[in-house]
Amino acid sequence: QVQLVESGGGSVQAGGSLRLSCSVSGDTTGNLYMAWFRQAPGKEREGVAFFARDGSTNYAGSVKGRCTISRDNAKNILYLQMNSLKPEDTAMYYCAARTVRQIGYKYWGQGTQVTVSS
């Protein structure tokens, strides 16, 4: 069973940076499709950044150029570096994973809160 634990959230001023981490157990980051999602109060959950097994990445338009998803397969950690943060980035951020055989992200972390003040 894959387990995901996020950390690194916090409160920052607009223009600041944060790096979120997602520690993975039960499988390795190199075997999984992994992603970061976020959900703001009153809004639907949205995908932020995606990492395929082959190393390719994809980003939501709202964060492209400001966020970078990366992984350390030796440490089994997924990261999301967020720069030039805006108040609209305020949300609970979730790490998600699925195996190659699964459809849809089946494993989710508990989330880490990011709050950006203007």
Side-chain angles (χ1 to χ4, degrees), residues 4-112:
L4 309 173
V5 179
E6 303 97 332
S7 60
S11 297
V12 296
Q13 290 192 326
S17 298
L18 282 173
R19 187 176 78 160
L20 307 184
S21 299
C22 174
S23 295
V24 181
S25 60
D27 206 327
T28 61
T29 51
N31 286 338
L32 298 166
Y33 287 85
M34 301 201 69
W36 288 97
F37 287 78
R38 68 185 181 186
Q39 188 167 21
K43 294 188 176 181
E44 292 189 356
R45 185 173 59 196
E46 63 170 344
V48 175
F50 301 85
F51 214 132
R53 289 173 71 235
D54 65 2
S56 60
T57 58
N58 199 11
Y59 297 92
S62 58
V63 303
K64 207 166 190 177
R66 300 189 296 118
C67 292
T68 303
I69 188 171
S70 63
R71 63 188 179 189
D72 186 330
N73 290 342
K75 295 182 179 179
N76 240 18
I77 299 176
L78 181 76
Y79 298 103
L80 182 68
Q81 177 68 44
M82 303 189 294
N83 301 322
S84 302
L85 283 162
K86 304 175 181 180
E88 50 263 44
D89 294 318
T90 294
M92 185 71 80
Y93 283 71
Y94 298 92
C95 175
R98 67 174 179 90
T99 67
V100 65
R101 289 189 174 88
Q102 293 171 332
I103 298 174
Y105 290 91
K106 299 299 184 183
Y107 306 109
W108 295 84
Q110 82 289 349
T112 186

